Amino acid sequence: MELTLIILDAGHGPDTPGKRTPDGKLREYHFNSAVAALVGGLLTKEGLTVKYTHDSSRDVPLNERTTSANQMKADAFISIHANAFGNGWHTAQGIETYIYPQASKSSATLASVVQKSLISACQRPDRGVKKANFAVLRDTNMPAILVECGFMSNQTEATLLQSKAYQHQCARAIAFGVLCWEYGR
């Protein structure tokens, strides 16, 4: 049996402007890359092959991320993010998972399983599975999801996003969802 290849994408890059908490204490990439590394470790222990599309030394363009995933003929693409609303602190909160509007049934199933797992593990408001025309969802040839693990613009969730314990919760939930999807297909 061929090993399943999962692509993990720490959304954005270390120097992407504006992708940080209003107080500047957390850059989104630091959360995203920490969770991606944790998810990768968990999936690797379960026998899956994991590759990453991000690079801590530069902002990898979206087309390079999707082209790389397509060339590797990955089985799934998971883009990990922290959300934001507006320019300052805001009350918006919760976790949501995105798929492309014309996504495959497999993408929709993966998104649903990962979203449920995140809500169960993290106990944050459930914003549901949503559809969006994001490049990493549109331009990939495999089931693809984009997870938003909380709002950097919400003070409570910003604190959580900076917490190693919450990062581990998110990673375990994402890995569990991916494994449930993998063994259910």
Side-chain angles (χ1 to χ4, degrees), residues 11-34 56 59 81-83 152 158 161-162 167:
H12 308 294
D15 299 317
T16 304
K19 301 295 182 183
R20 55 186 46 93
T21 54
D23 61 9
K25 289 183 179 176
L26 174 70
R27 289 184 184 205
E28 182 181 356
Y29 179 77
H30 294 150
F31 171 81
N32 300 348
S33 60
S56 61
D59 287 358
H81 292 256
N83 220 335
M152 295 184 302
L161 292 164
Q162 293 171 69
Q167 292 170 10

Side-chain angles (χ1 to χ4, degrees), residues 90-118:
H90 197 273
T91 57
Q93 62 179 323
I95 295 171
E96 56 197 12
T97 301
Y98 285 90
I99 57 174
Y100 184 61
Q102 289 80 40
S104 66
K105 186 175 190 288
S106 190
S107 287
T109 301
L110 176 59
S112 177
V113 173
V114 169
Q115 176 71 12
K116 286 177 185 163
S117 182
L118 278 164

Side-chain angles (χ1 to χ4, degrees), residues 90-182:
H90 197 273
T91 57
Q93 62 179 323
I95 295 171
E96 56 197 12
T97 301
Y98 285 90
I99 57 174
Y100 184 61
Q102 289 80 40
S104 66
K105 186 175 190 288
S106 190
S107 287
T109 301
L110 176 59
S112 177
V113 173
V114 169
Q115 176 71 12
K116 286 177 185 163
S117 182
L118 278 164
I119 296 305
S120 176
C122 300
Q123 298 294 300
R124 301 304 307 153
D126 186 352
R127 296 175 62 92
V129 174
K130 298 181 176 185
K131 295 181 178 182
N133 187 20
F134 298 143
V136 295
L137 303 177
R138 177 186 64 239
D139 299 336
T140 45
N141 298 333
M142 70 286 307
I145 64 172
L146 185 149
V147 296
E148 296 277 10
C149 297
F151 280 79
M152 295 184 302
S153 52
N154 177 288
Q155 288 181 302
T156 299
E157 290 189 347
T159 301
L160 286 171
L161 292 164
Q162 293 171 69
S163 146
K164 294 290 183 209
Y166 187 76
Q167 292 170 10
H168 280 273
Q169 279 181 311
C170 290
R172 284 191 298 271
I174 293 166
F176 180 77
V178 169
L179 290 168
C180 288
W181 170 81
E182 166 62 17

Side-chain angles (χ1 to χ4, degrees), residues 17-78:
K19 301 295 182 183
R20 55 186 46 93
T21 54
D23 61 9
K25 289 183 179 176
L26 174 70
R27 289 184 184 205
E28 182 181 356
Y29 179 77
H30 294 150
F31 171 81
N32 300 348
S33 60
V35 173
L38 292 167
V39 172
L42 293 166
L43 293 178
T44 300
K45 283 181 187 169
E46 293 296 325
L48 279 66
T49 302
V50 175
K51 301 283 184 191
Y52 301 91
T53 59
H54 56 277
D55 181 338
S56 61
S57 67
R58 67 185 180 98
D59 287 358
V60 179
L62 293 172
N63 67 335
E64 190 177 323
R65 293 169 189 249
T66 57
T67 298
S68 171
N70 291 336
Q71 287 173 344
M72 287 188 262
K73 297 186 176 8
D75 295 287
F77 184 97
I78 319 292

